[in-house]
């Protein structure tokens, strides 16, 4: 709760700083404020948390862990934003404020205990993102991304809301506990409205996380948005959407497993297939990252398929590994786009000779995304696969392993281009903030890969 | 009860006029009247708040938006797309399918127990306000962030950038 208040006040503060033309102070204030919010939210670590505000919010370990990681990732991304927004327009304060507003929505999404809070959280997050996707007003791709995201997002929110109403109609409650009690009362004789409601909720939420077959907006939106916002969308927003998804299913719908597991398996298989196979054919790094983010949703869905008490842990580790690696990739992408103006794989040629540090961090990120041992991505995949195996989804795991191999192929394209293709090029200038973020993220990736116990049994 | 039947007749009558009037502007005007009859229905059902919201938001805001869009679209005979007979047949079949589905689902469904109205005065503004400021206080307050972020965004997108030289 205090994290939510801090972030909201911080956003207002930044708006005022923008008003009084204190441009230099924006970034430090945002970073310090977010760190305060991070500490405050970690201080609420409490295993017997009770719902607050007449059962609207439950700031339990799950909520603390996921709001902690989303705030942490936002700090990393905002640190990359030095001099980034200034190039777009002079309204820098508003951009920071909008990012923070959407983070406030995300805090609600990971800590809700009532479907109305989930809805408001998703709306706050999405509305800010629709705007952020379109901040390059003169850029056609950015406009397209904003409009597409807005239309798709509005539809998916409508579907989600319809699901919430139907669930209310069946169970008479918005409260997660109330819905659970209604289902537990007689799991075999629940109203058909509830089944429709669950389906619609799952559809709405998978729109938000970008799981196939509801993924078609992802590549265009990620490609068209400014790279920093794409980084935010493919890490923080995806983690939050997944946390909301998992929380809903863990709290309320676990007794109806037989109904929704086939749906989730279908979505997972489709996401893996579409994400990985399409990513192979991409010529541009950013679009490849968009498709790879779809495939990673497929892996993360494993935790929901094999739902049990440690699903939240598996998602947490996987989300952390995936997000940190993705931030490195987007960091390099931002530098490359800013200084070369192109993000095709060819523009990576010979990067290792001129910028060994960049090449090294990007290699670590790619290895982690591909799931090579001794990186965090391997631990994430390992936890997901072992979860799926523990509930006897053997074919699913075999299929996922095959897909992971396809994944290695396209992630290595970048590494091959950097190290083995020679080309005369200028050295990229890497600002200090980038060095810090990239180096730190690479360290985290390695540290998690070597010593996963650190967060593996946290929640 | 007589009042209900009279208002119900009016709603159906005006909604038919919406479909059958040739001029789209008249259609929208009839739609306004139709929504007004809905508001009367809500009042008859003792749902003050819904009636007011329906009156302000639907009749006031959304339909004015409709009229604006019609003005901007500048509909007339020339710009009307040709409707072939095949299209009409398809439309009729699709409409009947929808009707069949609605009728079938209405027959199957029954009011589920938890949502039966326990307190007939629940729709009064005063009771709604009490719920809003007690049980739903947090979502109510938090929606202010939503409004604020939408406002900041609207200004940000609509404001003209000072062109850099």
């Amino acid at each position: 709760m205090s994290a939510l208040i801090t972030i909201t006040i911080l956003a207002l503060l930044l708006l005022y700083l923008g008003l009084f033309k204190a441009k230099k102070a924006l970034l430090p204030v945002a970073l310090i404020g977010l760190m305060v919010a991070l500490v405050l939210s970690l201080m609420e670590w409490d295993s017997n948390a009770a719902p607050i505000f007449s059962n609207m919010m439950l700031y339990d370990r799950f909520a603390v862990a996921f709001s902690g990681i989303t705030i942490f990732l936002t700090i990393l991304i905002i640190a990359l934003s030095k001099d980034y927004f200034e190039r777009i327009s002079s309204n820098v304060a508003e951009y920071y404020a909008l990012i923070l507003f959407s983070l406030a929505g995300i805090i609600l999404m990971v800590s809700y205990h009532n479907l109305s809070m989930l809805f408001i959280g998703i709306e706050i997050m999405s509305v800010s993102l629709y705007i952020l996707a379109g901040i390059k007003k003169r850029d056609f791709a950015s406009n397209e991304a904003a409009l597409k995201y807005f239309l798709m997002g509005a539809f998916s929110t409508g579907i989600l809301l319809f699901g919430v109403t139907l669930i209310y109609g069946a169970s008479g409650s918005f409260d997660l506990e109330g819905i659970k009690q209604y289902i537990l009362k007689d799991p075999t004789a629940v109203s058909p409205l509830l089944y429709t409601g669950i389906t619609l909720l799952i559809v709405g939420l998978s729109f938000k996380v970008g799981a196939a077959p509801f993924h078609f907006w992802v590549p265009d939106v990620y490609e068209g948005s400014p790279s920093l916002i794409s980084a935010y969308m493919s890490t923080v927003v995806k983690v939050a959407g997944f946390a909301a998804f998992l929380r809903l299913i863990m709290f309320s719908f676990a007794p109806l497993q037989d109904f929704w597991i086939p749906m989730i398996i279908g979505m997972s298989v489709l996401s893996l297939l579409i994400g990985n196979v399409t990513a192979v054919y991409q010529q541009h790094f950013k679009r490849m990252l968009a498709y790879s983010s779809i495939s990673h949703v497929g892996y993360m869905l494993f935790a929901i398929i094999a739902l049990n008490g440690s699903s939240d842990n598996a998602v947490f580790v996987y989300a952390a590994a995936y997000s940190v690696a993705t931030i490195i990739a987007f960091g390099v992408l931002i530098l490359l786009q800013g200084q070369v103006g192109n993000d095709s794989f060819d523009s990576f040629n010979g990067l290792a000779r001129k910028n060994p540090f960049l090449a090294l961090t990007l290699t670590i990120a790619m290895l982690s995304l591909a799931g090579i041992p001794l990186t965090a991505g391997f631990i994430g995949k390992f936890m997901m696969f072992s979860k799926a195996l523990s509930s006897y989804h053997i074919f699913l795991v075999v299929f996922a392993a095959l897909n992971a191999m396809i994944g290695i192929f396209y992630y290595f394209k970048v590494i091959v281009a950097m190290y083995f293709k020679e080309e005369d090029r200028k050295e990229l200038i890497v600002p200090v903030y980038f060095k810090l973020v990239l180096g730190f993220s690479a360290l985290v990736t390695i540290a998690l890969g070597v010593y996963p116990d650190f967060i593996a049994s946290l929640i | 009860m007589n009042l209900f039947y009279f208002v119900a007749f009016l709603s159906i009558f005006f909604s038919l006029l919406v479909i059958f009037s040739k001029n789209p502007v008249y259609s929208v005007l009839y739609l306004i009247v139709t929504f007004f009859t809905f508001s009367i229905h809500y009042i008859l059902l003792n749902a003050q708040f819904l009636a007011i919201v329906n009156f302000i938001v639907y009749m006031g805001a959304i339909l004015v938006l409709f009229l604006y869009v019609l003005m901007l679209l500048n509909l007339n005979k020339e710009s009307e797309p040709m409707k072939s007979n095949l299209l009409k047949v398809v439309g009729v079949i699709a409409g009947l399918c929808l009707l069949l589905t609605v009728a079938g689902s209405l027959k199957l469904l029954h009011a589920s127990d938890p949502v039966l109205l326990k307190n007939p005065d629940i729709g009064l503004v005063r009771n709604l306000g009490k719920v809003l400021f007690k049980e739903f206080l947090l979502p109510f307050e938090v929606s202010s962030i939503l409004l604020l972020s939408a406002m900041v965004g609207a200004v940000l997108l609509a404001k003209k950038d000072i062109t850099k030289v």
Side-chain angles (χ1 to χ4, degrees), chain A residues 8 12 54 56-57 86-87 89 91 94-95 98 101 108 116-117 120 123-124 127-128 131 137 169-170 172, chain B residues 109 112 114-115 134-136 138-139 142-143 145-146 148-150 152-154 156-161 164:
Chain A
T8 317
L12 292 176
S54 45
M56 284 297 154
M57 221 175 162
E86 279 85 347
R87 270 181 274 149
S89 87
N91 311 315
E94 284 83 350
Y95 300 149
L98 281 173
F101 280 137
L108 293 179
S116 59
M117 291 301 281
I120 291 181
E123 271 303 271
I124 295 176
V127 165
S128 315
I131 299 153
K137 276 188 262 182
Chain B
L109 275 186
S112 55
V115 277
K134 272 187 191 148
E135 284 92 21
F136 286 83
L138 187 62
V142 164
S143 18
I145 307 178
L146 176 62
L148 184 62
S149 63
V152 170
L156 192 65
L157 287 185
K159 215 177 89 182
K160 209 172 190 175
D161 267 342
K164 275 179 274 184

Side-chain angles (χ1 to χ4, degrees), chain A residues 124-386:
Chain A
I124 295 176
M125 179 195 82
S126 315
V127 165
S128 315
L129 286 176
Y130 302 149
I131 299 153
L132 286 170
I135 50 176
K136 282 187 177 171
K137 276 188 262 182
R138 305 266 164 217
D139 183 32
F140 180 71
S142 176
N143 295 345
E144 185 199 345
L147 188 66
K148 253 188 194 159
Y149 196 30
F150 172 66
L151 289 178
M152 290 297 158
F155 273 116
S156 69
T157 313
I159 291 171
L160 185 94
L161 198 57
F162 194 21
V164 172
T165 4
L166 287 181
I167 286 174
Y168 180 75
S171 65
S173 174
F174 287 129
D175 191 53
L176 292 186
E177 190 62 35
I179 297 167
K180 186 183 172 185
Q181 292 308 326
Y182 167 76
I183 295 173
L184 281 181
K185 212 168 57 189
D186 190 0
T188 50
V190 289
S191 152
L193 281 182
L194 190 85
Y195 289 115
T196 324
I198 294 177
T199 314
L200 291 175
L201 263 183
I202 289 180
V203 169
L205 283 171
S206 28
F207 252 113
K208 294 288 173 200
V209 297
F214 310 106
H215 67 286
F216 34 81
W217 56 272
V218 174
D220 291 339
V221 171
Y222 284 13
E223 198 188 12
S225 312
S227 293
L228 194 76
I229 305 303
S230 310
Y232 185 74
M233 287 200 280
S234 62
T235 55
V236 181
V237 172
K238 199 149 270 194
V239 174
F242 228 89
F245 204 161
L246 189 65
R247 194 173 173 88
L248 184 70
I249 285 193
M250 270 177 97
F251 261 86
S252 297
F253 301 141
L256 293 177
Q257 285 202 354
D258 295 337
F259 172 67
W260 49 258
I261 279 190
M263 266 195 284
I264 308 270
I265 290 184
M267 276 171 17
S268 167
V269 167
L270 267 181
S271 307
L272 287 173
L273 190 69
I274 294 176
N276 280 310
V277 172
T278 328
V280 171
Y281 293 102
Q282 300 308 317
Q283 295 306 319
H284 289 267
F285 188 53
K286 200 172 176 187
R287 219 173 158 81
M288 186 276 272
L289 283 177
Y291 280 107
S292 98
S293 84
I294 297 174
S295 75
H296 283 286
V297 170
Y299 295 118
M300 280 200 258
L301 284 173
F302 279 19
I304 296 181
I305 293 168
L307 192 71
N308 63 19
S310 64
S311 286
D312 42 4
N313 248 320
V315 168
F316 183 70
V317 173
Y318 197 98
Y322 158 77
S323 310
V324 172
T326 310
I327 286 180
I328 301 180
F330 271 101
V332 177
L333 176 74
I334 289 171
L335 286 179
L336 207 67
Q337 278 183 330
Q339 295 172 32
V340 182
N342 185 357
D343 68 327
S344 68
F345 287 123
D346 291 337
S347 55
F348 286 91
N349 288 355
L351 194 71
R353 181 146 303 172
K354 292 287 179 189
N355 293 79
F357 173 72
L358 268 191
L360 179 69
T361 50
L362 188 59
T363 308
I364 291 171
M366 289 294 124
L367 292 178
S368 175
L369 285 175
I372 305 294
L374 289 185
T375 57
F378 172 73
I379 304 299
K381 279 213 175 57
F382 177 76
M383 286 178 83
M384 286 298 170
F385 285 9
S386 60

